[in-house]
Amino acid sequence: MPMPSYNALLDVPNYPADRYASLADRLKRLLATEADLLFIQAEAILALEAVAASIARPGLTAINIITSPYGTYFSAWLRRGGVTVHDVVAEPGQPIELVAVKAAINDLPSLDILAVVHGEAANGALNPIAEIAALARARDALVVVDAVASVGAHPLAIDSLGVDIVAIGPQKALGGPVGLSAVTVSERAWAHIAATPRFSPSILSLLDLKENWLDRGRGVLPGTPPPLDFWALEAAVDRVEAEGIDRLVARHQLAARASRAGLRALGIEPWIRDDHAASALVTAAPVPEGIDAEVLIATAAEFGIALGRGFGDIKDRLVRFDHTGARAAFASVIASVVGYGAALGKLGITVDVGAAAEAVALTYALAIL
Ligand SMILES: *Cc1c(COP(=O)(O)O)cnc(C)c1O
């Protein structure tokens, strides 16, 4: 019988335990955190569900900040675990206002958990997590941050902010694979989880991962790591280390700055008006009055430019310029801004495409000097 022929995608070497541990340490170094780092062998949405399942129990009170559908999911998972959840909901597609968070916290006699998304890829909002974390810590609440999208695009000082659990994903700003994710867990978070009813064995249990991997000295792999994803994550970490995380963050910030300068030169105010409240992952641009979002996207596609759709109740009101990972670069940014402007022009909206191109070029020129 002839052997099946070799296939690079199928005949992948296993990802070994020693590399698994050292990859976790390299990620911890990139994040500059002393917290434990656990890999979740699934896309980041499962990491978030695992966090909620692992910290929820009846009798707890949580504030959950909602600035995109991800916040809505987290709320549902906490409630399923018996937590009394108070949602603090932002204006559609906008970051949360700190005053709203303050008011919600002040209304509660006690607060056990506060959950918030850092940077949103869905609408370009950036939440003020430093201020929010400080408010929550002042009430001795466990702070959970969804940094799946923001890691690598915004500074994320996990330990100095005192955030207890952070979920990250490799597939956005880090430019890595989508099939695995990670969470950091502080000492305080482990103490909280230890007081939560066990539900092992479960793919959602952080405690299972702790006992099966951390507490056994990280010598025995917790389950079978998907090798394609782990080798790809290692390659992504190699690339991030080579570039430097600070430079990666700066590259995303520059892409956002240039996108926003380009929009304003077109004569259009970005969807998120305050520069400090805009994420560096995507820049959302408004769909002008009288224009259909689908038609705008289709018109930009005629120029060969892919504009992202909005989500949920803002689906018809914005389009997104994706500048995450490799797209956080001059070529992608200028293409998005000029493509959006050209499409608007074709649809009869007066915009200054030349000025927009110049503004993007100048922003980059000044940064490169
Ligand atoms: C992308 C993203 C996720 C989830 O990522 P999946 O790839 O869909 O699992 C979670 N939270 C935020 C803020 C994200 O941008």
Side-chain angles (χ1 to χ4, degrees):
M1 291 282 274
M3 286 294 287
S5 58
Y6 170 80
N7 183 301
L9 290 172
L10 301 176
D11 302 315
V12 182
N14 289 337
Y15 198 75
D18 59 332
R19 288 184 103 101
Y20 194 97
S22 84
L23 190 57
D25 290 339
R26 289 169 71 190
L27 268 175
K28 279 176 54 160
R29 263 197 302 281
L30 284 175
L31 297 170
T33 182
E34 297 291 319
D36 287 324
L37 186 139
L38 303 171
F39 288 120
I40 306 294
Q41 300 186 171
E43 66 170 301
I45 198 82
L46 193 126
L48 291 165
E49 185 172 353
V51 169
S54 294
I55 63 173
R57 63 174 183 265
L60 297 184
T61 301
I63 283 183
N64 180 64
I65 295 169
I66 298 184
T67 50
S68 77
Y70 297 112
T72 313
Y73 304 155
F74 202 77
S75 192
W77 295 323
L78 286 178
R79 285 199 177 95
R80 189 177 66 194
V83 177
T84 302
V85 184
H86 300 268
D87 289 331
V88 184
V89 186
E91 290 296 313
Q94 295 292 322
I96 199 68
E97 302 268 359
L98 202 54
V99 287
V101 180
K102 236 180 231 171
I105 291 179
N106 289 341
D107 274 352
L108 294 174
S110 73
L111 179 63
D112 302 297
I113 297 167
L114 180 140
V116 62
V117 172
H118 186 198
E120 293 284 9
N123 51 40
L126 179 71
N127 289 313
I129 56 160
E131 292 81 355
I132 292 170
L135 290 172
R137 291 302 304 264
R139 296 294 300 274
D140 211 25
L142 199 70
V143 184
V144 178
V145 174
D146 171 352
V148 173
S150 66
V151 63
H154 290 275
L156 177 65
I158 295 174
D159 294 1
S160 58
L161 292 181
V163 295
D164 296 293
I165 300 186
V166 177
I168 65 167
Q171 82 273 29
K172 307 257 168 91
L174 299 180
V178 71
L180 81 177
S181 50
V183 293
T184 67
V185 187
S186 72
E187 283 299 326
R188 264 164 47 87
W190 283 130
H192 175 105
I193 289 168
T196 304
R198 292 192 72 102
F199 57 98
S200 61
S202 169
I203 195 77
L204 296 175
S205 169
L206 297 183
L207 189 60
D208 279 9
L209 281 175
K210 178 179 191 293
E211 291 180 352
N212 294 335
W213 188 42
L214 298 179
D215 295 351
R216 289 160 79 181
R218 305 197 307 178
V220 182
L221 288 172
T224 309
L228 281 173
D229 286 293
F230 273 89
W231 289 115
L233 177 61
E234 189 176 310
V237 168
D238 287 346
R239 209 158 62 174
V240 173
E241 285 175 350
E243 179 173 17
I245 185 113
D246 294 345
R247 283 162 72 183
L248 176 65
V249 169
R251 182 155 62 76
H252 282 84
Q253 305 277 332
L254 174 58
R257 226 164 45 241
S259 300
R260 298 173 68 77
L263 274 177
R264 288 182 174 129
L266 278 176
I268 290 189
E269 197 48 35
W271 168 260
I272 293 183
R273 286 168 180 260
D274 178 0
D275 291 341
H276 301 291
S279 93
L281 297 151
V282 302
T283 294
V287 176
E289 202 69 39
I291 300 284
D292 184 283
E294 286 304 319
V295 173
L296 175 57
I297 289 167
T299 308
E302 288 171 19
F303 289 90
I305 301 302
L307 299 177
R309 276 182 184 73
F311 283 99
D313 40 6
I314 47 160
K315 195 166 118 327
D316 302 324
R317 295 171 58 198
L318 63 78
V319 291
R320 294 176 299 144
F321 306 163
D322 173 3
H323 41 74
T324 50
R327 292 181 57 90
F330 176 72
S332 296
V333 169
I334 200 157
S336 295
V337 172
V338 168
Y340 166 81
L344 287 182
K346 195 169 172 206
L347 294 171
I349 307 273
T350 308
V351 287
D352 193 339
V353 174
E358 239 171 79
V360 173
L362 184 64
T363 309
Y364 269 90
L366 290 173
I368 293 163
L369 277 177

